Amino acid sequence: MPELPEVETTRCGIEPYLLGQTITGVTVRQPRLRWEVPDSIQSLVGQTVQQLTRRGKYILLHTPAGVALIHLGMSGSLRIVDATMLPRKHDHFDLLLASGNIVRYHDPRRFGALLWTADPVQQHLLLRELGPEPLEAGFDGDYLFTQSRSRTVNVKAFIMNAHIVVGVGNIYACEALFLAGIDPRRVAGRISRERYLKLANSIREILTYAIERGGTTLRDFVREDGSPGYFQLELKVYGRADEPCRVCQTPIRHLTQGQRSTWFCPVCQH
């Protein structure tokens, strides 16, 4: 599933093609995505794109009339293509631009979304209860420590909870916990403030570096220009079961937590 760095990489990639552009048409070939694409999405037609932002894993396309919310789901991607390029199978919607370019959404599993709101976007049902952005003010170790008190869930599930902090998906949770030296099985409420300070810094460091390197290449994800990201080549624990730890050479362990795979080093993380 595309995580925060993949979504931010996509946002940055398509932003130059969208800002200041007028949307001349919206073509929806498959409205049955995670949620039905609303007829109100046609409100985009004739609107000029003022801003392109991200909240969690949602790309927000701001216009004078309202905001379109785009989610990439598990396998979705956005491309900038020429208007003469014929759609492929699983190309579910196009945003036609006055420049002659098209923003095209491709999603084999149809778990993504295209939604519309004319109300303040931060009050949207899908956004209003989200936690802080991990790369912005309001997120730090003191915040994590305060939120973790009396929590009995494991620390990995805790930092993956979007109500606590947005955008820390499975890959980056595993990598941040390794960098912070924290065992993912530890109970969230029993971790010290000092260790949460280190974990918050590790989350920011991992996410920032992944964005700089173009996100993580998964089976279904490539960058908006069609080239793969590169961060996967440097993963320390994720997907490396039984391979030697890059620090201590101990075999990386794998387990399942809450139906999600977890990888960690039993020596470096405690």
Side-chain angles (χ1 to χ4, degrees):
M1 177 182 292
E3 298 187 15
L4 185 152
E6 286 77 30
V7 178
E8 181 64 13
T9 297
T10 297
R11 186 197 69 78
C12 291
I14 65 175
E15 183 178 48
Y17 298 92
L18 278 165
L19 286 185
Q21 283 293 317
T22 299
I23 297 175
T24 58
V26 178
T27 301
V28 179
R29 283 179 287 274
Q30 174 53 271
R32 297 178 61 185
L33 301 179
R34 183 174 182 181
W35 299 284
E36 188 91 8
V37 177
D39 293 339
S40 58
I41 198 64
Q42 295 299 329
S43 299
L44 274 173
V45 178
Q47 294 297 310
T48 299
V49 180
Q50 299 174 312
Q51 193 178 15
L52 201 67
T53 64
R54 178 191 52 76
R55 181 70 172 108
K57 297 181 183 180
Y58 290 90
I59 293 174
L60 308 179
L61 195 159
H62 301 258
T63 76
V67 179
L69 294 82
I70 301 173
H71 196 289
L72 301 180
M74 294 184 67
S75 58
S77 61
L78 291 170
R79 301 284 186 276
I80 303 296
V81 301
D82 186 85
T84 61
M85 185 174 293
L86 295 176
R88 303 168 296 166
K89 183 179 181 181
H90 307 307
D91 284 348
H92 299 316
F93 68 76
D94 290 346
L95 306 181
L96 288 68
L97 306 178
S99 63
N101 289 322
I102 290 175
V103 182
R104 178 162 288 166
Y105 180 71
H106 182 81
D107 186 1
R109 300 180 192 175
R110 298 198 337 223
F111 280 4
L114 175 63
L115 302 171
W116 173 261
T117 181
D119 298 322
V121 70
Q122 295 301 336
Q123 296 305 311
H124 192 280
L125 178 65
L126 295 171
L127 304 183
R128 64 190 182 198
E129 294 185 1
L130 293 179
E133 292 283 337
L135 301 179
E136 295 181 4
F139 175 77
D140 56 23
D142 288 328
Y143 167 79
L144 283 180
F145 178 77
T146 300
Q147 292 293 318
S148 69
R149 295 308 85 187
S150 302
R151 301 262 183 174
T152 59
V153 298
N154 65 72
V155 65
K156 180 168 175 259
F158 172 66
I159 63 173
M160 289 182 64
N161 183 342
H163 297 292
I164 301 298
V165 57
V166 298
V168 184
N170 198 34
I171 295 173
Y172 300 104
C174 290
E175 294 295 306
L177 286 165
F178 175 78
L179 185 60
I182 298 174
D183 190 316
R185 299 169 295 183
R186 290 283 305 275
V187 174
R190 296 181 182 175
I191 295 174
S192 69
R193 183 187 299 271
E194 181 180 5
R195 301 199 80 190
Y196 271 121
L197 291 173
K198 188 171 184 179
L199 179 56
N201 288 334
S202 296
I203 290 171
R204 282 194 295 269
E205 182 177 337
I206 289 291
L207 291 176
T208 299
Y209 188 60
I211 290 169
E212 291 173 352
R213 297 303 300 269
T216 303
T217 305
L218 302 178
R219 181 182 63 185
D220 294 316
F221 179 78
V222 291
R223 290 171 58 182
E224 78 292 331
D225 60 1
S227 65
Y230 299 101
F231 185 63
Q232 183 176 1
L233 301 177
E234 302 166 43
L235 293 173
K236 300 297 192 298
V237 290
Y238 183 90
R240 299 189 63 242
D242 300 323
E243 295 181 30
C245 172
R246 301 189 194 279
V247 174
C248 72
Q249 303 305 305
T250 301
I252 298 298
R253 290 185 58 185
H254 171 263
L255 57 85
T256 301
Q257 294 178 297
Q259 300 182 328
R260 290 179 179 270
S261 288
T262 295
W263 292 265
F264 68 103
C265 173
V267 173
C268 293
Q269 295 173 253
H270 51 85

PDB file of all heavy atoms in Angstrom, residues 3 51 62 65 97 105 116 119 128 130 143 147 154 157 159-160 182 192 207 222-223 226 228 253 256 258 265:
ATOM      1  N   GLU A   3       2.382   4.477   1.101  1.00  0.00           N
ATOM      2  CA  GLU A   3       2.381   5.112   2.406  1.00  0.00           C
ATOM      3  C   GLU A   3       2.691   6.589   2.244  1.00  0.00           C
ATOM      4  O   GLU A   3       2.784   7.097   1.125  1.00  0.00           O
ATOM      5  CB  GLU A   3       3.379   4.404   3.328  1.00  0.00           C
ATOM      6  CG  GLU A   3       3.002   2.942   3.567  1.00  0.00           C
ATOM      7  CD  GLU A   3       3.875   2.264   4.612  1.00  0.00           C
ATOM      8  OE1 GLU A   3       4.588   2.966   5.360  1.00  0.00           O
ATOM      9  OE2 GLU A   3       3.839   1.035   4.686  1.00  0.00           O
ATOM     10  N   GLN A  51      -4.119  25.068  -5.232  1.00  0.00           N
ATOM     11  CA  GLN A  51      -3.163  24.472  -4.311  1.00  0.00           C
ATOM     12  C   GLN A  51      -3.300  22.963  -4.355  1.00  0.00           C
ATOM     13  O   GLN A  51      -4.380  22.431  -4.616  1.00  0.00           O
ATOM     14  CB  GLN A  51      -3.444  24.979  -2.884  1.00  0.00           C
ATOM     15  CG  GLN A  51      -2.351  24.703  -1.870  1.00  0.00           C
ATOM     16  CD  GLN A  51      -2.706  25.298  -0.505  1.00  0.00           C
ATOM     17  OE1 GLN A  51      -3.848  25.671  -0.238  1.00  0.00           O
ATOM     18  NE2 GLN A  51      -1.721  25.378   0.380  1.00  0.00           N
ATOM     19  N   HIS A  62      -7.209  21.763  -4.295  1.00  0.00           N
ATOM     20  CA  HIS A  62      -7.998  22.919  -3.863  1.00  0.00           C
ATOM     21  C   HIS A  62      -8.373  23.803  -5.051  1.00  0.00           C
ATOM     22  O   HIS A  62      -7.515  24.158  -5.868  1.00  0.00           O
ATOM     23  CB  HIS A  62      -7.203  23.751  -2.859  1.00  0.00           C
ATOM     24  CG  HIS A  62      -6.780  23.001  -1.631  1.00  0.00           C
ATOM     25  ND1 HIS A  62      -7.430  23.135  -0.410  1.00  0.00           N
ATOM     26  CD2 HIS A  62      -5.780  22.107  -1.420  1.00  0.00           C
ATOM     27  CE1 HIS A  62      -6.827  22.366   0.492  1.00  0.00           C
ATOM     28  NE2 HIS A  62      -5.835  21.733  -0.092  1.00  0.00           N
ATOM     29  N   ALA A  65     -14.158  26.515  -5.805  1.00  0.00           N
ATOM     30  CA  ALA A  65     -15.480  25.937  -5.525  1.00  0.00           C
ATOM     31  C   ALA A  65     -15.446  24.869  -4.436  1.00  0.00           C
ATOM     32  O   ALA A  65     -16.485  24.546  -3.850  1.00  0.00           O
ATOM     33  CB  ALA A  65     -16.069  25.338  -6.800  1.00  0.00           C
ATOM     34  N   LEU A  97      -6.912  18.819 -18.305  1.00  0.00           N
ATOM     35  CA  LEU A  97      -6.403  20.154 -18.019  1.00  0.00           C
ATOM     36  C   LEU A  97      -6.358  21.004 -19.282  1.00  0.00           C
ATOM     37  O   LEU A  97      -6.219  20.488 -20.391  1.00  0.00           O
ATOM     38  CB  LEU A  97      -4.995  20.051 -17.423  1.00  0.00           C
ATOM     39  CG  LEU A  97      -4.840  19.143 -16.201  1.00  0.00           C
ATOM     40  CD1 LEU A  97      -3.383  19.107 -15.756  1.00  0.00           C
ATOM     41  CD2 LEU A  97      -5.747  19.598 -15.066  1.00  0.00           C
ATOM     42  N   TYR A 105      -5.798   8.338 -13.251  1.00  0.00           N
ATOM     43  CA  TYR A 105      -5.725   7.471 -12.070  1.00  0.00           C
ATOM     44  C   TYR A 105      -5.840   6.007 -12.477  1.00  0.00           C
ATOM     45  O   TYR A 105      -6.791   5.607 -13.145  1.00  0.00           O
ATOM     46  CB  TYR A 105      -6.853   7.811 -11.096  1.00  0.00           C
ATOM     47  CG  TYR A 105      -6.853   6.956  -9.849  1.00  0.00           C
ATOM     48  CD1 TYR A 105      -5.867   7.103  -8.879  1.00  0.00           C
ATOM     49  CD2 TYR A 105      -7.841   6.000  -9.635  1.00  0.00           C
ATOM     50  CE1 TYR A 105      -5.860   6.319  -7.738  1.00  0.00           C
ATOM     51  CE2 TYR A 105      -7.841   5.215  -8.504  1.00  0.00           C
ATOM     52  CZ  TYR A 105      -6.849   5.371  -7.556  1.00  0.00           C
ATOM     53  OH  TYR A 105      -6.847   4.595  -6.429  1.00  0.00           O
ATOM     54  N   TRP A 116     -15.457  14.700  -3.302  1.00  0.00           N
ATOM     55  CA  TRP A 116     -15.588  16.157  -3.447  1.00  0.00           C
ATOM     56  C   TRP A 116     -16.261  16.748  -2.216  1.00  0.00           C
ATOM     57  O   TRP A 116     -17.185  16.151  -1.652  1.00  0.00           O
ATOM     58  CB  TRP A 116     -16.413  16.496  -4.681  1.00  0.00           C
ATOM     59  CG  TRP A 116     -16.746  17.957  -4.810  1.00  0.00           C
ATOM     60  CD1 TRP A 116     -17.901  18.581  -4.464  1.00  0.00           C
ATOM     61  CD2 TRP A 116     -15.874  18.984  -5.313  1.00  0.00           C
ATOM     62  NE1 TRP A 116     -17.819  19.925  -4.723  1.00  0.00           N
ATOM     63  CE2 TRP A 116     -16.583  20.192  -5.248  1.00  0.00           C
ATOM     64  CE3 TRP A 116     -14.571  18.983  -5.811  1.00  0.00           C
ATOM     65  CZ2 TRP A 116     -16.031  21.404  -5.657  1.00  0.00           C
ATOM     66  CZ3 TRP A 116     -14.014  20.185  -6.217  1.00  0.00           C
ATOM     67  CH2 TRP A 116     -14.744  21.376  -6.147  1.00  0.00           C
ATOM     68  N   ASP A 119     -17.326  22.114   1.495  1.00  0.00           N
ATOM     69  CA  ASP A 119     -17.184  22.600   2.866  1.00  0.00           C
ATOM     70  C   ASP A 119     -15.702  22.652   3.242  1.00  0.00           C
ATOM     71  O   ASP A 119     -14.846  22.126   2.515  1.00  0.00           O
ATOM     72  CB  ASP A 119     -17.939  21.675   3.825  1.00  0.00           C
ATOM     73  CG  ASP A 119     -19.428  21.644   3.541  1.00  0.00           C
ATOM     74  OD1 ASP A 119     -19.977  22.709   3.196  1.00  0.00           O
ATOM     75  OD2 ASP A 119     -20.034  20.564   3.641  1.00  0.00           O
ATOM     76  N   ARG A 128     -11.282  14.795   9.776  1.00  0.00           N
ATOM     77  CA  ARG A 128     -11.393  15.617  10.981  1.00  0.00           C
ATOM     78  C   ARG A 128     -10.866  14.963  12.256  1.00  0.00           C
ATOM     79  O   ARG A 128     -10.536  15.654  13.221  1.00  0.00           O
ATOM     80  CB  ARG A 128     -12.852  16.053  11.177  1.00  0.00           C
ATOM     81  CG  ARG A 128     -13.836  14.931  11.443  1.00  0.00           C
ATOM     82  CD  ARG A 128     -15.257  15.462  11.364  1.00  0.00           C
ATOM     83  NE  ARG A 128     -16.252  14.436  11.651  1.00  0.00           N
ATOM     84  CZ  ARG A 128     -17.526  14.546  11.314  1.00  0.00           C
ATOM     85  NH1 ARG A 128     -17.951  15.641  10.677  1.00  0.00           N
ATOM     86  NH2 ARG A 128     -18.382  13.577  11.617  1.00  0.00           N
ATOM     87  N   LEU A 130      -8.202  12.800  12.280  1.00  0.00           N
ATOM     88  CA  LEU A 130      -6.840  12.328  12.079  1.00  0.00           C
ATOM     89  C   LEU A 130      -5.886  12.997  13.067  1.00  0.00           C
ATOM     90  O   LEU A 130      -6.081  14.142  13.476  1.00  0.00           O
ATOM     91  CB  LEU A 130      -6.377  12.625  10.649  1.00  0.00           C
ATOM     92  CG  LEU A 130      -7.081  11.861   9.528  1.00  0.00           C
ATOM     93  CD1 LEU A 130      -6.513  12.289   8.180  1.00  0.00           C
ATOM     94  CD2 LEU A 130      -6.939  10.351   9.708  1.00  0.00           C
ATOM     95  N   TYR A 143       4.533  14.446  22.819  1.00  0.00           N
ATOM     96  CA  TYR A 143       3.167  14.127  22.380  1.00  0.00           C
ATOM     97  C   TYR A 143       2.934  12.626  22.415  1.00  0.00           C
ATOM     98  O   TYR A 143       1.910  12.153  22.945  1.00  0.00           O
ATOM     99  CB  TYR A 143       2.935  14.677  20.972  1.00  0.00           C
ATOM    100  CG  TYR A 143       1.691  14.143  20.308  1.00  0.00           C
ATOM    101  CD1 TYR A 143       0.434  14.654  20.627  1.00  0.00           C
ATOM    102  CD2 TYR A 143       1.762  13.103  19.373  1.00  0.00           C
ATOM    103  CE1 TYR A 143      -0.721  14.153  20.021  1.00  0.00           C
ATOM    104  CE2 TYR A 143       0.626  12.607  18.768  1.00  0.00           C
ATOM    105  CZ  TYR A 143      -0.612  13.129  19.098  1.00  0.00           C
ATOM    106  OH  TYR A 143      -1.750  12.612  18.507  1.00  0.00           O
ATOM    107  N   GLN A 147       0.203  10.620  24.796  1.00  0.00           N
ATOM    108  CA  GLN A 147      -0.868   9.832  24.183  1.00  0.00           C
ATOM    109  C   GLN A 147      -0.775   8.344  24.541  1.00  0.00           C
ATOM    110  O   GLN A 147      -1.774   7.627  24.487  1.00  0.00           O
ATOM    111  CB  GLN A 147      -0.821   9.989  22.661  1.00  0.00           C
ATOM    112  CG  GLN A 147      -1.180  11.374  22.159  1.00  0.00           C
ATOM    113  CD  GLN A 147      -2.633  11.722  22.420  1.00  0.00           C
ATOM    114  OE1 GLN A 147      -3.531  10.910  22.237  1.00  0.00           O
ATOM    115  NE2 GLN A 147      -2.870  12.939  22.867  1.00  0.00           N
ATOM    116  N   ASN A 154       0.503  -2.845  21.567  1.00  0.00           N
ATOM    117  CA  ASN A 154       1.934  -2.801  21.307  1.00  0.00           C
ATOM    118  C   ASN A 154       2.306  -1.481  20.638  1.00  0.00           C
ATOM    119  O   ASN A 154       1.478  -0.820  20.010  1.00  0.00           O
ATOM    120  CB  ASN A 154       2.378  -4.010  20.475  1.00  0.00           C
ATOM    121  CG  ASN A 154       1.782  -4.013  19.078  1.00  0.00           C
ATOM    122  OD1 ASN A 154       2.144  -3.226  18.218  1.00  0.00           O
ATOM    123  ND2 ASN A 154       0.824  -4.923  18.850  1.00  0.00           N
ATOM    124  N   ALA A 157       1.509  -0.965  16.796  1.00  0.00           N
ATOM    125  CA  ALA A 157       0.110  -0.644  16.521  1.00  0.00           C
ATOM    126  C   ALA A 157      -0.211   0.790  16.951  1.00  0.00           C
ATOM    127  O   ALA A 157      -0.991   1.488  16.285  1.00  0.00           O
ATOM    128  CB  ALA A 157      -0.806  -1.628  17.244  1.00  0.00           C
ATOM    129  N   ILE A 159       1.789   3.518  16.977  1.00  0.00           N
ATOM    130  CA  ILE A 159       2.248   4.560  16.051  1.00  0.00           C
ATOM    131  C   ILE A 159       1.634   4.422  14.663  1.00  0.00           C
ATOM    132  O   ILE A 159       1.709   5.343  13.854  1.00  0.00           O
ATOM    133  CB  ILE A 159       3.793   4.598  15.943  1.00  0.00           C
ATOM    134  CG1 ILE A 159       4.347   3.290  15.378  1.00  0.00           C
ATOM    135  CG2 ILE A 159       4.405   4.950  17.290  1.00  0.00           C
ATOM    136  CD1 ILE A 159       5.851   3.338  15.103  1.00  0.00           C
ATOM    137  N   MET A 160       0.991   3.277  14.389  1.00  0.00           N
ATOM    138  CA  MET A 160       0.290   3.110  13.122  1.00  0.00           C
ATOM    139  C   MET A 160      -1.164   3.558  13.189  1.00  0.00           C
ATOM    140  O   MET A 160      -1.871   3.546  12.179  1.00  0.00           O
ATOM    141  CB  MET A 160       0.371   1.651  12.656  1.00  0.00           C
ATOM    142  CG  MET A 160       1.748   1.220  12.191  1.00  0.00           C
ATOM    143  SD  MET A 160       1.790  -0.488  11.594  1.00  0.00           S
ATOM    144  CE  MET A 160       0.707  -0.371  10.160  1.00  0.00           C
ATOM    145  N   ILE A 182      13.682   0.090  19.531  1.00  0.00           N
ATOM    146  CA  ILE A 182      12.541  -0.319  20.355  1.00  0.00           C
ATOM    147  C   ILE A 182      11.919  -1.583  19.786  1.00  0.00           C
ATOM    148  O   ILE A 182      11.597  -1.657  18.596  1.00  0.00           O
ATOM    149  CB  ILE A 182      11.483   0.799  20.429  1.00  0.00           C
ATOM    150  CG1 ILE A 182      12.094   2.049  21.095  1.00  0.00           C
ATOM    151  CG2 ILE A 182      10.244   0.333  21.181  1.00  0.00           C
ATOM    152  CD1 ILE A 182      11.170   3.245  21.093  1.00  0.00           C
ATOM    153  N   SER A 192       9.261   4.730  28.081  1.00  0.00           N
ATOM    154  CA  SER A 192       9.611   5.987  28.736  1.00  0.00           C
ATOM    155  C   SER A 192       9.526   7.173  27.792  1.00  0.00           C
ATOM    156  O   SER A 192       9.559   7.029  26.562  1.00  0.00           O
ATOM    157  CB  SER A 192      11.025   5.906  29.313  1.00  0.00           C
ATOM    158  OG  SER A 192      11.981   5.855  28.260  1.00  0.00           O
ATOM    159  N   LEU A 207      10.875   9.001   7.425  1.00  0.00           N
ATOM    160  CA  LEU A 207       9.922   9.513   6.447  1.00  0.00           C
ATOM    161  C   LEU A 207      10.569  10.576   5.553  1.00  0.00           C
ATOM    162  O   LEU A 207      10.374  10.585   4.334  1.00  0.00           O
ATOM    163  CB  LEU A 207       8.697  10.091   7.145  1.00  0.00           C
ATOM    164  CG  LEU A 207       7.786   9.074   7.853  1.00  0.00           C
ATOM    165  CD1 LEU A 207       6.666   9.798   8.590  1.00  0.00           C
ATOM    166  CD2 LEU A 207       7.205   8.071   6.862  1.00  0.00           C
ATOM    167  N   VAL A 222       4.943   2.769  -8.524  1.00  0.00           N
ATOM    168  CA  VAL A 222       6.050   3.447  -9.181  1.00  0.00           C
ATOM    169  C   VAL A 222       5.775   4.937  -9.092  1.00  0.00           C
ATOM    170  O   VAL A 222       4.659   5.369  -8.841  1.00  0.00           O
ATOM    171  CB  VAL A 222       6.216   3.033 -10.660  1.00  0.00           C
ATOM    172  CG1 VAL A 222       6.691   1.607 -10.774  1.00  0.00           C
ATOM    173  CG2 VAL A 222       4.921   3.223 -11.423  1.00  0.00           C
ATOM    174  N   ARG A 223       6.801   5.736  -9.302  1.00  0.00           N
ATOM    175  CA  ARG A 223       6.633   7.172  -9.208  1.00  0.00           C
ATOM    176  C   ARG A 223       5.766   7.686 -10.337  1.00  0.00           C
ATOM    177  O   ARG A 223       5.488   6.997 -11.306  1.00  0.00           O
ATOM    178  CB  ARG A 223       8.005   7.856  -9.208  1.00  0.00           C
ATOM    179  CG  ARG A 223       8.776   7.620  -7.935  1.00  0.00           C
ATOM    180  CD  ARG A 223      10.201   8.102  -8.035  1.00  0.00           C
ATOM    181  NE  ARG A 223      10.281   9.519  -8.359  1.00  0.00           N
ATOM    182  CZ  ARG A 223      11.429  10.151  -8.534  1.00  0.00           C
ATOM    183  NH1 ARG A 223      12.567   9.504  -8.449  1.00  0.00           N
ATOM    184  NH2 ARG A 223      11.447  11.428  -8.815  1.00  0.00           N
ATOM    185  N   GLY A 226       6.711   7.132 -13.769  1.00  0.00           N
ATOM    186  CA  GLY A 226       6.863   5.754 -14.196  1.00  0.00           C
ATOM    187  C   GLY A 226       8.119   5.085 -13.698  1.00  0.00           C
ATOM    188  O   GLY A 226       8.290   3.884 -13.851  1.00  0.00           O
ATOM    189  N   PRO A 228      10.782   3.763 -10.692  1.00  0.00           N
ATOM    190  CA  PRO A 228      10.601   3.281  -9.328  1.00  0.00           C
ATOM    191  C   PRO A 228      11.273   4.179  -8.314  1.00  0.00           C
ATOM    192  O   PRO A 228      12.186   4.940  -8.636  1.00  0.00           O
ATOM    193  CB  PRO A 228      11.276   1.902  -9.349  1.00  0.00           C
ATOM    194  CG  PRO A 228      12.331   2.040 -10.385  1.00  0.00           C
ATOM    195  CD  PRO A 228      11.736   2.940 -11.449  1.00  0.00           C
ATOM    196  N   ARG A 253      14.066 -11.200  12.655  1.00  0.00           N
ATOM    197  CA  ARG A 253      12.904 -12.030  12.969  1.00  0.00           C
ATOM    198  C   ARG A 253      11.638 -11.465  12.345  1.00  0.00           C
ATOM    199  O   ARG A 253      11.517 -10.261  12.126  1.00  0.00           O
ATOM    200  CB  ARG A 253      12.720 -12.147  14.487  1.00  0.00           C
ATOM    201  CG  ARG A 253      13.790 -12.992  15.165  1.00  0.00           C
ATOM    202  CD  ARG A 253      13.499 -13.175  16.630  1.00  0.00           C
ATOM    203  NE  ARG A 253      12.186 -13.791  16.833  1.00  0.00           N
ATOM    204  CZ  ARG A 253      11.643 -13.972  18.048  1.00  0.00           C
ATOM    205  NH1 ARG A 253      12.288 -13.569  19.127  1.00  0.00           N
ATOM    206  NH2 ARG A 253      10.462 -14.541  18.162  1.00  0.00           N
ATOM    207  N   THR A 256       3.694 -11.849  13.208  1.00  0.00           N
ATOM    208  CA  THR A 256       2.449 -11.203  12.802  1.00  0.00           C
ATOM    209  C   THR A 256       1.831 -10.493  13.994  1.00  0.00           C
ATOM    210  O   THR A 256       1.670 -11.085  15.056  1.00  0.00           O
ATOM    211  CB  THR A 256       1.448 -12.219  12.232  1.00  0.00           C
ATOM    212  OG1 THR A 256       2.040 -12.873  11.096  1.00  0.00           O
ATOM    213  CG2 THR A 256       0.156 -11.542  11.792  1.00  0.00           C
ATOM    214  N   GLY A 258      -1.538  -8.158  14.783  1.00  0.00           N
ATOM    215  CA  GLY A 258      -2.774  -7.571  14.279  1.00  0.00           C
ATOM    216  C   GLY A 258      -2.954  -7.769  12.795  1.00  0.00           C
ATOM    217  O   GLY A 258      -3.349  -6.835  12.092  1.00  0.00           O
ATOM    218  N   CYS A 265      14.975  -6.721  14.781  1.00  0.00           N
ATOM    219  CA  CYS A 265      16.190  -7.378  15.240  1.00  0.00           C
ATOM    220  C   CYS A 265      16.058  -7.642  16.732  1.00  0.00           C
ATOM    221  O   CYS A 265      15.872  -6.692  17.519  1.00  0.00           O
ATOM    222  CB  CYS A 265      17.413  -6.508  14.980  1.00  0.00           C
ATOM    223  SG  CYS A 265      18.925  -7.198  15.703  1.00  0.00           S
TER     224      CYS A 265
END
